[in-house]
Amino acid sequence: MTTTLTRWWRDAVIYQVYVRSFADANGDGVGDLPGIRSRLPYLAELGVDALWITPFYTSPMADGGYDVADYRDVDPSFGTLQDAAGLIGDAHRLGLRVIADVVPNHTSDRHPWFQKALGGTDRDRYLFRPGRGADGELPPNDWESVFGGPAWTRVEDGEWYLHLFAKEQPDLNWDNPAVRAEFEEILRFWLDLGVDGFRIDVAHGMVKAEGLPDVGYTPQAKLLGRAELPYFDQDGVHEIHRSWRRLLDSYPGERIGVAEAWAPTEARLAAYVRPDELHQAFNFHYLTSAWDAEELRTVIDESLETADLVGAPTTWVLSNHDVQRHVTRYGGGETGLRRARAAALLMLALPGSAYVYQGEELGLPEVLDLPEELLQDPQRGSGEGRGRDGCRVPLPWSGSEPPFGFGPSELSWLPQPEGWRDLTVAAEAADPASTLSLYRDALRIRRAHPALGDGDLHWTTGPDGTLVFTRGDFACAVNLSGEPVNLGVDGEVLLASGPIQRDGSGFVLPPDTALWWQTGNPSGEAQ
Ligand code: BGC
């Protein structure tokens, strides 16, 4: 059999499905695999290349599924293994690839390994240590949990165990060969079932500095931080990623590994995507950039340069299940939506691969007023405000009343705002000016246009506060200046994120608007 390498991942648009909130098939108010399966045609029509599904494994849901009790089974609230196999098969028939989420830094405290460890058996699979102080009453070191408070919890016999996240998420000991062997088997299990790759949760966390030294200051880690810490981005993680790459490469069909990694510098982040390591890493520096021309230009240039160092594709992401939705981050209301639409055209015109978080194609904002008693995120109360539930509200599909076609019953695990009646898939699909139509058009053009996707870009000089670049005979301009600008160039409009005008000298771009056009000049000059 000959295999042609497509390197599909170098410019793939990957849609993130947060399983609890995408589509509910059985009416219990929680999204599930059959729900995703029933909506695959929607994703195919949207024009994405792949979906990444957040963890759907057996879990007590202390952290929405990122606390796994059985890595080889599906949580009953999400369906069955058969549903997973059916979903992968259907996706493939529709030309969509499926990326699973693997959580190797920690298990659930209900995982049989941890239960045994509590009983004193094979404790070395986790990081148990005696405490400090006269009676061991103080934690073994000063490490803090990403969710707040000490990263250590004491068990009945007096020892402490490490958990960089919630206390229900004990960290595994990756120095133990049994842990490494177990995860290779877990990866094989899902690869055999047909997944096209893995998003690797906390890919920078599995290896800790020798001797677990104190950090020496507080507060420490944020989920999306840049600090140098003895529990993140240790050199030893790369050996694990290399071995996983060999495993991925031993399967046909270009299966990929995507690092959810945080590193203090661009160069250290690039190390995760060296040719013998993972295929992609999320670009959180792009995600955390403000709506500001200079800042975005800097982060775009740095991202392209660092990816180039190791020959990896750049990736771009605006939102995910851990951060406030970008409509709200960019100012909320009409301004936020206008900017979010422009940001989508910017992101989808950049070289490389892009991630779309479910609901951003509808222009959904963060839900800021969820009732306190319904909040579930373990991160809330950690000084990060109300946590991450506001970006995890179930999707509105159709109809004029909540839960807007999310499932067949009245239930949805978090309530949707009444105002989402105008933001349902059905409402937006019928409106050529909607955000959904913008994403569909953009993805269709991106797929068809030879200059888009993988490659490079050429900046051209635009008015202050604008970003203007060409890629062959394609051009993109974004106006972040706050004032209408005259671009002084003209061409054939491909797509615009809002109404644009023309005067005698060319395009006039209103504030917070992006434009794609055809220059008619394949050499790359905008005029
Ligand atoms: C996931 C979070 C999760 C954390 C712990 C993160 O990277 O994206 O949702 O809380 O890992 O597993």
Side-chain angles (χ1 to χ4, degrees):
M1 192 178 81
T2 52
T3 324
T4 319
L5 285 185
T6 63
R7 289 151 64 89
W8 65 272
W9 41 277
R10 288 193 64 93
D11 59 6
V13 177
I14 302 178
Y15 184 97
Q16 180 189 354
V17 172
Y18 188 70
V19 56
R20 291 197 291 172
S21 303
F22 187 67
D24 171 22
N26 66 1
D28 64 356
V30 177
D32 45 39
L33 298 185
I36 302 174
R37 207 172 162 186
S38 72
R39 298 293 187 179
L40 287 173
Y42 167 75
L43 296 180
E45 202 183 332
L46 179 59
V48 298
D49 302 292
L51 50 154
W52 146 37
I53 310 175
T54 56
F56 46 77
Y57 319 108
T58 314
S59 167
M61 305 289 159
D63 184 18
Y66 283 94
D67 47 321
V68 181
D70 182 350
Y71 288 83
R72 294 182 184 78
D73 207 351
V74 173
D75 192 82
S77 66
F78 296 146
T80 61
L81 263 182
Q82 236 174 347
D83 293 330
L87 163 54
I88 296 165
D90 284 0
H92 287 168
R93 276 187 287 281
L94 287 167
L96 295 165
R97 289 184 161 88
V98 178
I99 314 272
D101 203 322
V102 66
V103 188
N105 180 67
H106 44 262
T107 68
S108 158
D109 60 348
R110 309 283 175 81
H111 191 285
W113 277 14
F114 192 71
Q115 290 297 314
K116 279 192 186 153
L118 285 180
T121 309
D122 289 329
R123 240 178 212 194
D124 195 35
R125 290 166 174 162
Y126 293 90
L127 290 156
F128 279 84
R129 292 289 183 279
R132 295 202 274 207
D135 301 311
E137 74 284 7
L138 298 172
N141 66 21
D142 68 354
W143 295 4
E144 289 174 351
S145 150
V146 172
F147 294 156
W152 296 91
T153 290
R154 198 172 195 193
V155 299
E156 264 180 19
D157 60 24
E159 282 212 324
W160 299 72
Y161 69 88
L162 179 73
H163 52 87
L164 292 181
F165 293 87
K167 68 176 185 344
E168 295 87 354
Q169 294 168 296
D171 277 51
L172 285 161
N173 172 18
W174 276 82
D175 287 337
N176 183 335
V179 171
R180 293 183 186 231
E182 172 69 1
F183 271 87
E184 295 223 340
E185 289 312 310
I186 291 165
L187 297 187
R188 280 185 198 285
F189 179 88
W190 292 101
L191 290 167
D192 289 341
L193 207 75
V195 302
D196 299 282
F198 299 98
R199 177 260 190 192
I200 299 158
D201 190 60
V202 199
H204 56 310
M206 288 110 98
V207 173
K208 277 75 180 176
E210 183 88 41
L212 313 185
D214 276 340
V215 172
Y217 62 84
T218 182
Q220 296 162 13
K222 292 272 181 316
L223 187 58
L224 306 177
R226 269 197 191 224
E228 273 180 50
L229 292 160
Y231 44 83
F232 282 155
D233 191 41
Q234 299 298 304
D235 289 340
V237 293
H238 295 289
E239 193 201 315
I240 301 169
H241 298 316
R242 277 194 200 101
S243 71
W244 286 14
R245 175 60 181 259
R246 287 193 294 274
L247 180 60
L248 290 165
D249 285 349
S250 72
Y251 278 78
E254 294 174 90
R255 320 278 178 116
I256 67 164
V258 182
E260 190 230 7
W262 274 91
T265 62
E266 298 285 344
R268 286 204 66 94
L269 187 62
Y272 289 80
V273 288
R274 286 178 285 197
D276 60 345
E277 293 200 35
L278 302 171
H279 297 74
Q280 294 187 344
F282 288 100
N283 188 342
F284 293 126
H285 298 152
Y286 188 69
L287 178 150
T288 50
S289 295
W291 184 245
D292 175 87
E294 213 174 310
E295 191 173 334
L296 283 168
R297 165 112 189 219
T298 305
V299 78
I300 291 168
D301 281 339
E302 282 177 6
S303 307
L304 293 168
E305 278 162 26
T306 17
D308 265 1
L309 287 179
V310 289
T314 37
T315 66
W316 311 101
V317 60
L318 293 167
S319 277
N320 65 31
H321 65 295
D322 290 331
V323 298
Q324 194 176 66
R325 283 188 178 272
H326 59 277
V327 167
T328 306
R329 260 185 8 247
Y330 288 159
E334 277 178 28
T335 306
L337 181 58
R338 212 171 37 242
R339 291 177 175 170
R341 291 169 56 101
L345 291 202
L346 171 60
M347 170 173 85
L348 293 172
L350 292 172
S353 170
Y355 280 80
V356 172
Y357 176 49
Q358 66 178 39
E360 78 172 64
E361 79 280 19
L362 304 173
L364 295 187
E366 184 85 0
V367 181
L368 297 168
D369 59 356
L370 288 169
E372 195 71 32
E373 65 278 9
L374 296 181
L375 300 181
Q376 294 196 7
D377 179 19
Q379 187 172 292
R380 72 191 186 284
S382 69
E384 296 289 313
R386 289 160 51 88
R388 301 166 294 178
D389 292 300
C391 64
R392 300 173 175 182
V393 171
L395 284 197
W397 289 93
S398 58
S400 54
E401 301 288 329
F404 300 117
F406 173 58
S409 75
E410 302 287 286
L411 302 172
S412 77
W413 70 279
L414 287 172
Q416 303 138 313
E418 298 280 340
W420 280 16
R421 68 168 56 87
D422 300 326
L423 298 176
T424 65
V425 170
E428 294 204 24
D431 174 5
S434 70
T435 306
L436 178 57
S437 297
L438 180 75
Y439 269 78
R440 283 181 175 165
D441 291 345
L443 291 169
R444 184 176 35 76
I445 295 169
R446 179 184 158 104
R447 206 170 252 193
H449 203 298
L452 291 177
D454 205 9
D456 42 36
L457 63 73
H458 174 75
W459 292 107
T460 67
T461 318
D464 280 355
T466 62
L467 295 171
V468 188
F469 60 87
T470 58
R471 305 190 61 192
D473 58 355
F474 169 94
C476 172
V478 193
N479 178 7
L480 301 95
S481 73
E483 304 288 331
V485 291
N486 192 324
L487 290 179
V489 293
D490 214 332
E492 180 201 333
V493 173
L494 293 172
L495 191 61
S497 67
I500 55 148
Q501 284 136 26
R502 277 182 160 114
D503 70 5
S505 62
F507 297 121
V508 178
L509 217 50
D512 300 322
T513 303
L515 172 67
W516 287 3
W517 78 98
Q518 196 68 27
T519 62
N521 179 358
S523 72
E525 289 308 311
Q527 219 164 0

